[in-house]
Amino acid sequence: MHRTIPWLMVIFRASLAPLMVAATLCLPAPQTWLGSMIAAGFLSDVYDGVLARRWGTDTAALRLCDSAVDTFFYLGVLAAVIIRHRPVLLERIWLLVAVLLLEALRLAFDWIKFRRMASYHSYAAKLWGVLLAIATIALLCFDRAYWLLTVALIWGILCDLEGLIMSALLPVWTRDVKTLGRAIELRRGTRS
């Protein structure tokens, strides 16, 4: 059972992406539903890792799937934002394009170098998840805090740059590298 619960939480989060799009398109006032789904997705993202580590069921496969589902989940959030707040997003289009391009570049680089997606779960990425959750709840539920979306997108750019540098530095695929400093240490360790 301990092995199954973290996986179910990842699957649950994956299912929320299309549900958010459906709620945005089909419900006349989806604010409460969207906020609940974003909060549930965020909490499942936090606790799937916490529980897996506590129970000793944290595997590379789970971490990879978790990273992929995070991207899928936030693409669902992005779709909801596009549907409900297109003008707000268009004002920040260059930030959004930069984040999406860097995400694609990182994914391509990781696949070429490691033959799989990176799964660093860095502190910067964790903060980005918090910022995205708060910014999108504020935007989708309360039509407020547009500035927080700007902050989240800028942080996302920085976070993706960190991940790209980490992938460039690390000679082999490594999971759960929390900081750029740690990636530098790991690289130095393989040289000596």
Side-chain angles (χ1 to χ4, degrees), residues 11-190:
I11 293 165
F12 167 73
R13 191 165 60 261
S15 71
L16 290 175
L19 288 175
M20 283 186 284
V21 174
T24 305
L25 291 171
C26 299
L27 297 176
Q31 294 90 330
T32 302
W33 285 104
L34 291 171
S36 299
M37 287 187 269
I38 293 169
F42 175 76
L43 290 173
S44 76
D45 188 28
V46 169
Y47 285 104
D48 63 1
V50 168
L51 293 175
R53 283 186 299 280
R54 177 173 292 154
W55 294 331
T57 60
D58 186 24
T59 63
L62 178 63
R63 299 303 267 175
L64 279 169
C65 190
D66 178 60
S67 295
V69 167
D70 289 347
T71 301
F72 183 67
F73 173 76
Y74 278 107
L75 285 173
V77 173
L78 175 61
V81 170
I82 289 170
I83 295 164
R84 288 190 46 82
H85 291 286
R86 184 181 310 256
V88 172
L89 213 49
L90 287 175
E91 290 174 9
R92 292 151 184 84
I93 194 68
W94 292 109
L95 294 172
L96 177 62
V97 167
V99 167
L100 293 174
L101 285 176
L102 282 169
E103 283 281 323
L105 178 63
R106 276 192 60 204
L107 185 61
F109 185 82
D110 293 340
W111 276 101
I112 291 167
K113 185 171 182 178
F114 303 123
R115 299 284 182 241
R116 60 178 128 177
M117 182 179 188
S119 184
Y120 299 131
H121 295 91
S122 70
Y123 295 130
K126 292 178 186 305
L127 179 57
W128 188 25
V130 171
L131 285 171
L132 277 174
I134 293 169
T136 55
I137 287 172
L139 182 63
L140 292 170
C141 297
F142 305 107
D143 300 322
R144 299 189 187 279
Y146 303 151
W147 64 271
L148 192 53
L149 181 61
T150 303
V151 170
L153 290 171
I154 291 169
W155 190 258
I157 291 168
L158 296 173
C159 185
D160 275 328
L161 288 172
E162 177 193 49
L164 190 58
I165 293 167
M166 289 166 80
S167 291
L169 286 173
L170 293 169
V172 296
W173 184 87
T174 309
R175 67 184 174 122
D176 298 330
V177 181
K178 300 298 184 189
T179 65
L180 185 55
R182 180 66 180 137
I184 293 168
E185 288 174 11
L186 289 169
R187 179 171 177 96
R188 287 183 184 150
T190 58

